[in-house]
Amino acid sequence: MMNRFKPRLAVWPVDPVLRKLNSLAKLSPDEEALLRAAAEHRERAAPGEEIIGEGQAAQRPRLVVAGWAARQRVLPDGRRQIFSFVLPGDVLGFTARPATASPWSVTALTAFETLDGQSVAEAVAAGRAPGLAVAVAAFEAQGAQLLLDQMVRLGQLTAYERVAHFFLELQRRLQVAGLGDSQRFPLPLTQEMLADALGLSIVHVNRTLQQLRREGLIELRSGVAILLRPDMLSSISDYDSVGAMRLLDASQGVKRPA
Amino acid sequence: MMNRFKPRLAVWPVDPVLRKLNSLAKLSPDEEALLRAAAEHRERAAPGEEIIGEGQAAQRPRLVVAGWAARQRVLPDGRRQIFSFVLPGDVLGFTARPATASPWSVTALTAFETLDGQSVAEAVAAGRAPGLAVAVAAFEAQGAQLLLDQMVRLGQLTAYERVAHFFLELQRRLQVAGLGDSQRFPLPLTQEMLADALGLSIVHVNRTLQQLRREGLIELRSGVAILLRPDMLSSISDYDSVGAMRLLDASQGVKRPA
DNA sequence: CGTTGTGTTGAGCCGAATCAACCCCGGTGG
DNA sequence: CCACCGGGGTTGATTCGGCTCAACACAACG
């Protein structure tokens, strides 16, 4: 509400990260400044570029400021499972152990942009940024929850329910990062990517989306998704009853009353 | 090799934990003694009993010494997804943050027995048990890998592949804990539990098992599974090519050369 | 003994995959 | 300017993996 109408200074690039982390724990002015300072070293990746390889040791920590990426695994015969999407506002490589091998590869799906998070990670490790430490820990916990939700989608939900559930999750995650509102959000995914995430064929994703549109529940136009009836989607997929929803809403709870 | 032939004193109850953790990092005699000392306070749970509730705060740390449990989530309409199985040798509740809510419930599937891990956890936290600290961390990493494998099973593998892949995983996990050998292992699961874990109907699990038996790949008798052709199962499910296999084998690698 | 839980089997159906076109659109280059 | 792509989306026809429903066998147990 406050600054959506005034993208004045071309907006700070760190904005999504700032919003996201602030929704997880109150950050001090110092901590916010620390994040803003990170805006120095940018790094870009092109669509299809592998940002972190599977089995590779932990990378330098990063703050995602623009673009989407996928955490995924590709089978020898070409099938691929996308475990989760990396969105603006997310952080990468902040979990301590530097020696551990990544259990998945992270691949850019669109033009992708990150900031160096080294200084931030050091401040957190040194105990100089307690708010950030809490936020990062909460972020990790939320990520774990989202993975379990994804598992429930794959194992128990029908195609129709899966898409509904997934769209609600995206809407909420993106809104927290300051992208999109309670109904509308950017969706730069092809149907193939959706298929690989939801464990469905491209054709069937297409037909399921059509059904949702036909029924007036969603609208898709040029990279933007609109949830016309979030309530319906929610009841279709039982979204509010289980899983990471609680965390995402708790996040908003922290943010809103301010 | 050393003590398998001499289950002399009715075997230490901590044995599975000892083996499992030792496979992840070399434990010092002190550390092993610490684990053995934990054998004091036992705790039992009956089948169906909920050991940790979803959303509940972290529990007292425990060492699992006997029985199976499931990490799961139940949907409002009764569908349930089992994320993973808790086996003897596993540890529960060792991850630091005491305030975090559990993202799943843990429910005993069989008679289930744990030891109090409080003293162990404290020693680890205080830095007095570096070997254990490494082992526990590795255990967590492996658990995360197993979750991703499960996700790939649900999202990409056929029923036939899922069962083959899953059986191989169980065989390896149990062997590390000293239960079963390279072909044979205890399998106290009903077909319903298998179905809920693998995202299949009971009937179809039944038929898939029959197919595997008919083809001479497995044998199931009174709570014991026998993998007659592990090699075939492996090629069916592409098991060795991806995922937690590497970790499980690495584990055995650490243990064997000793 | 009935009862209950687990496994097994058959029949039929349906959700989703596959195969195969075809359209549209934004390049790109002649 | 147009012809030619290639990627993404859409559609129909068909197949098939897996589900549902329903019955039955069997063992464990009170």
Side-chain angles (χ1 to χ4, degrees):
Chain A
M1 265 313 174
M2 36 216 138
N3 47 17
R4 169 136 38 88
F5 300 125
K6 296 187 182 182
R8 26 192 164 180
L9 316 171
V11 179
W12 297 85
V14 257
D15 192 48
V17 181
L18 226 54
R19 286 171 181 260
K20 172 75 180 182
L21 294 181
N22 238 319
S23 81
L24 294 166
K26 185 85 194 101
L27 301 184
S28 71
D30 285 5
E31 290 172 322
E32 296 204 355
L34 188 59
L35 288 173
R36 288 212 182 79
E40 296 304 313
H41 315 77
R42 293 201 198 195
E43 205 163 328
R44 292 167 206 277
E49 194 173 323
E50 189 175 70
I51 297 164
I52 303 175
E54 190 181 340
Q56 192 176 325
Q59 295 291 77
R60 200 168 58 273
R62 305 163 192 246
L63 313 175
V64 181
V65 295
W68 290 35
R71 281 180 264 259
Q72 62 180 17
R73 190 178 289 168
V74 179
L75 306 193
D77 64 358
R79 286 177 282 184
R80 98 169 147 170
Q81 179 62 50
I82 294 180
F83 299 122
S84 65
F85 292 98
V86 182
L87 308 182
D90 288 1
V91 300
L92 280 177
F94 269 73
T95 28
R97 354 182 174 133
T100 322
S102 171
W104 47 44
S105 83
V106 178
T107 304
L109 300 174
T110 70
F112 192 75
E113 198 177 327
T114 62
L115 305 180
D116 184 19
Q118 192 67 55
S119 58
V120 180
E122 281 166 5
V124 169
R128 283 184 280 113
L132 271 173
V134 171
V136 168
F139 175 82
E140 296 294 336
Q142 185 176 298
Q145 276 272 15
L146 291 171
L147 279 186
L148 297 181
D149 283 8
Q150 167 77 345
M151 198 125 125
V152 172
R153 276 196 291 264
L154 294 177
Q156 301 299 327
L157 303 196
T158 65
Y160 191 64
E161 294 169 329
R162 276 182 224 188
V163 175
H165 192 269
F166 177 68
F167 274 28
L168 283 170
E169 178 180 306
L170 281 183
Q171 182 273 315
R172 268 149 163 131
R173 286 182 66 192
L174 288 165
Q175 187 179 9
V176 169
L179 302 147
D181 55 32
S182 64
Q183 300 210 125
R184 191 176 315 246
F185 59 90
L187 184 70
L189 302 179
T190 66
Q191 296 184 349
E192 181 177 18
M193 296 167 189
L194 275 174
D196 287 343
L198 298 177
L200 301 169
S201 70
I202 303 180
V203 174
H204 201 247
V205 164
N206 182 300
R207 295 191 161 123
T208 306
L209 289 175
Q210 284 180 52
Q211 188 185 349
L212 286 166
R213 277 185 298 203
R214 217 180 313 122
E215 295 169 345
L217 302 183
I218 67 171
E219 204 174 314
L220 297 175
R221 284 201 324 264
S222 59
V224 174
I226 308 174
L227 309 186
L228 301 171
R229 302 289 307 279
D231 53 324
M232 282 275 97
L233 295 174
S234 185
S235 74
I236 286 168
S237 61
D238 268 326
Y239 191 74
D240 299 298
S241 61
V242 278
M245 228 310 288
R246 288 195 296 267
L247 286 177
L248 285 166
D249 269 8
S251 307
Q252 312 215 31
V254 171
K255 178 184 165 196
R256 277 313 183 75
Chain B
M1 265 314 175
M2 34 221 141
N3 47 16
R4 169 134 40 87
F5 299 125
K6 297 186 181 182
R8 24 193 166 180
L9 317 170
V11 178
W12 298 86
V14 257
D15 192 50
V17 181
L18 226 54
R19 285 172 182 259
K20 173 73 181 184
L21 294 181
N22 237 320
S23 80
L24 294 165
K26 184 88 193 98
L27 302 184
S28 72
D30 285 3
E31 289 171 322
E32 297 204 355
L34 187 60
L35 289 173
R36 287 209 182 81
E40 296 304 312
H41 315 76
R42 294 199 197 195
E43 204 163 329
R44 292 168 206 277
E49 194 172 323
E50 189 175 69
I51 297 163
I52 303 175
E54 191 181 340
Q56 193 175 324
Q59 294 293 76
R60 201 169 56 274
R62 305 163 191 244
L63 313 175
V64 181
V65 295
W68 289 35
R71 281 180 263 259
Q72 62 180 18
R73 191 178 290 168
V74 178
L75 306 195
D77 65 358
R79 286 178 282 184
R80 97 169 149 171
Q81 179 62 50
I82 293 179
F83 299 122
S84 65
F85 292 98
V86 182
L87 308 183
D90 287 1
V91 300
L92 280 178
F94 269 74
T95 26
R97 351 178 177 139
T100 323
S102 172
W104 47 44
S105 83
V106 177
T107 304
L109 300 174
T110 70
F112 192 75
E113 197 177 328
T114 62
L115 306 180
D116 184 20
Q118 193 65 56
S119 59
V120 179
E122 280 166 6
V124 168
R128 284 184 279 115
L132 273 173
V134 172
V136 168
F139 175 82
E140 294 295 335
Q142 185 176 299
Q145 276 271 15
L146 290 171
L147 278 186
L148 297 181
D149 284 8
Q150 167 76 344
M151 198 125 125
V152 172
R153 276 196 290 263
L154 294 176
Q156 301 299 328
L157 303 196
T158 65
Y160 191 65
E161 294 169 329
R162 275 183 224 189
V163 175
H165 193 269
F166 178 68
F167 274 28
L168 283 170
E169 178 182 305
L170 280 184
Q171 181 273 315
R172 269 151 163 129
R173 286 182 66 192
L174 287 166
Q175 188 179 8
V176 169
L179 301 146
D181 56 31
S182 65
Q183 299 209 125
R184 191 176 314 247
F185 60 89
L187 185 70
L189 300 179
T190 66
Q191 295 184 350
E192 181 178 17
M193 295 167 188
L194 276 173
D196 287 344
L198 298 176
L200 300 170
S201 70
I202 303 179
V203 174
H204 202 247
V205 164
N206 183 299
R207 294 192 163 120
T208 306
L209 290 175
Q210 284 180 50
Q211 188 185 349
L212 286 167
R213 277 185 299 202
R214 216 181 312 123
E215 294 169 345
L217 303 182
I218 67 171
E219 204 174 314
L220 296 176
R221 282 202 324 265
S222 59
V224 175
I226 307 173
L227 309 187
L228 301 170
R229 302 289 308 278
D231 54 324
M232 281 277 99
L233 295 174
S234 184
S235 75
I236 285 169
S237 61
D238 268 327
Y239 192 72
D240 299 299
S241 60
V242 276
M245 229 309 290
R246 289 194 297 266
L247 286 176
L248 284 166
D249 269 8
S251 306
Q252 312 216 31
V254 171
K255 179 183 165 193
R256 279 312 184 73

